[in-house]
Amino acid sequence: MLTCANLNQPWNSTLPTLALLQKCRTLTDVNQIHGRLITTGFIRSQVLTTKIVLTFSPSPFTPLVDFARYVFFTYLAFRSPKQDEDPFLWNAVIKSYSHGREAQEAFIILCLMLENGVPFDKFSLSLVLKACSQLGLLKEGMQVHGLLRKLNFGSDLFLQNCLISYYLRCGFIGYARQLFDRMSMRDSVSYNSMIDGYIKRGMIDLAKELFDVMPVEKKNLITWNSMVSGYTQLKDGMGLALGLFEKMPDRDLISWNSMINGFVKCGNMEDAQILFDKMPRRDVVSWANMINGYAKVGKIDLARSLFNEMSERDIVVCNAMMAGCVQNGYCGEALEIFYHLQRNCSLQPDSATLLIALSAIAQLGHVDKGLALHHYLKQKKFSLGGRLGVALIDMYSKCGSIKNAVLVFEGIKYKAVDHWNAMIGGLAIHGMGELAFKLLMDMEKLCVEPDDITYIGVMNACGHAGLVKEGLICFDIMRRVHKMVPKLQHYGCMVDILGRAGQIDVARKFIEEMPIEANDVIWRSLLSACKNHENIDVGEPAAKHLITLDSCNSSSYVLLSHMYAGLGMWNAVSSVRLMMKERNLKKIPGCSWIELEGTVHEFFVQDKSHPQVMEIYSLLDSLSTSNSEVTPYVHHG
């Protein structure tokens, strides 16, 4: 219940009402004040209602904005308009829409002004153009453009700049350039808008042409920063960017960060570090760029050193460090940062943080940590309707808890195609091909449009479960029903399905008839099937073709060697091993891991790096000894 803000003010003063309105946050609060305005008669005060509209239409609190609009349309909007009336109140309401959640209403209000003879000015039109550009309303924006020309507003520089910005936002760069070329006078905003428009579409040459003809006095920091950013996008543009950067009359944080980000993108951390060290001032973007860069090139120790060096961090830097750890396989370290964030009251994990944490848990296979994080999501009331729900389903699937994955999936009311894909992928991991295929049929019934990832997931599941017929149906539905052109991955899935089912000749024919050339992955899938089903007639030429495609990959040689060994062709095995030796190729060692009391233990073939290696080998020796002491009973008749 709200109380009077200032009891020293007289009852007939409007100041307490305005002070109370400032404190309103909910619809109930606003309704109380509205009742007070009615009972006191203040609602008829034009001064007060005007203040309410101007003060609360830009408020971040929805009930206050809605109340300001209600007051405007009920008490102020439709008074007899005067020809010289200033439309500042209408503009305030239009701005509340054009900068808010219902931008399309701004255009409707402009139409209302025209119908009721309410005067409007260039700010009214600029706000409506902003709303149209925000939503990509081409027809409505062009109508405003027509109105400008009809009412002789067309030569106004401010509105011309608004129109250029509108056409650029809507993707019509040609229209924007026509307007720019026809302008009798241009300012820095005109040039900067066009240069930025070209750069955002990768048209760096056209941006450079405008930059070169732009009068020197009109070039400002925004102009220089735009061109530097443009050059950093080019494959070999860092030299040009650096040359321009050194010529800049003035630099700000954006200038330095653009250059560092450019060097980071091309993996040149030496030059990025040189610039970082020279920076007169750094912000969190500077640190995040460097941390991200070192993580991308695998130098996680340097990234962590920078992270530790920071006196103050924000959530963006923490996310960059966590993501770097996960990318380089240091998932435990990523989770340590996450748990520190949870304990630290000054920084709150956001959706990006939680997505990285879920990815780390999925890679580690720690289902207990996954359950704890799921509980945290519920506690903090994070929505699972977006990427978090997808990541949660994926995490449970990869941690071996398919039941929990299904529970999360079923609990999401409005499922996007990504949720379906994650669930289908999880079922594929667990070999549940029939259920994955059923989910695809459910999508058809519910009119959920599948994408290419959906079909890869279902066909993958069918391959692991040996469901050849279902896999073929899936491939057919994709092409005939949804008119999708299969990608290389879809053809690969079909080869895998046929190969696993032992239909080697059909799989080979399928590859030969593919409209796109098969890559090494598809040929390796066929070779693996030939090895499993001991089909040397198809396997041998497939292996030789594969070796010509990818001569440095040891797996092709190993598969061929195993196929020969399975058929007892030991001379051929020796020949393949000799070839590997001559080409200095080594077999990638097998790896297995086991989780014990929350710790994951990883073992490679002939690996002795485990801290308890002596105890493990001792136990294995004792087991082999005890087995050798068991003498089989032989009956001598």
Side-chain angles (χ1 to χ4, degrees), residues 522-538:
I522 291 176
W523 283 105
R524 199 169 291 115
S525 177
L526 178 65
L527 179 56
S528 179
C530 291
K531 179 218 127 187
N532 292 336
H533 295 280
E534 298 181 347
N535 188 324
I536 194 165
D537 293 334
V538 176

Side-chain angles (χ1 to χ4, degrees), residues 72-143:
F72 173 75
F73 286 114
T74 307
Y75 299 101
L76 297 169
F78 301 110
R79 293 175 295 116
S80 297
K82 300 172 185 175
Q83 288 300 316
D84 59 345
E85 186 178 354
D86 192 328
F88 70 98
L89 280 178
W90 284 87
N91 289 348
V93 175
I94 292 174
K95 187 176 181 179
S96 78
Y97 285 111
S98 68
H99 289 62
R101 65 189 190 280
E102 300 165 307
Q104 69 278 3
E105 297 294 324
F107 181 78
I108 294 170
I109 293 178
L110 178 64
C111 294
L112 199 63
M113 292 174 77
L114 290 167
E115 287 171 10
N116 287 275
V118 177
F120 57 88
D121 59 13
K122 64 181 182 180
F123 298 108
S124 318
L125 297 169
S126 70
L127 289 166
V128 175
L129 280 172
K130 179 180 175 62
C132 291
S133 65
Q134 187 179 322
L135 297 174
L137 302 175
L138 183 62
K139 178 185 169 185
E140 290 83 350
M142 292 185 86
Q143 286 177 335

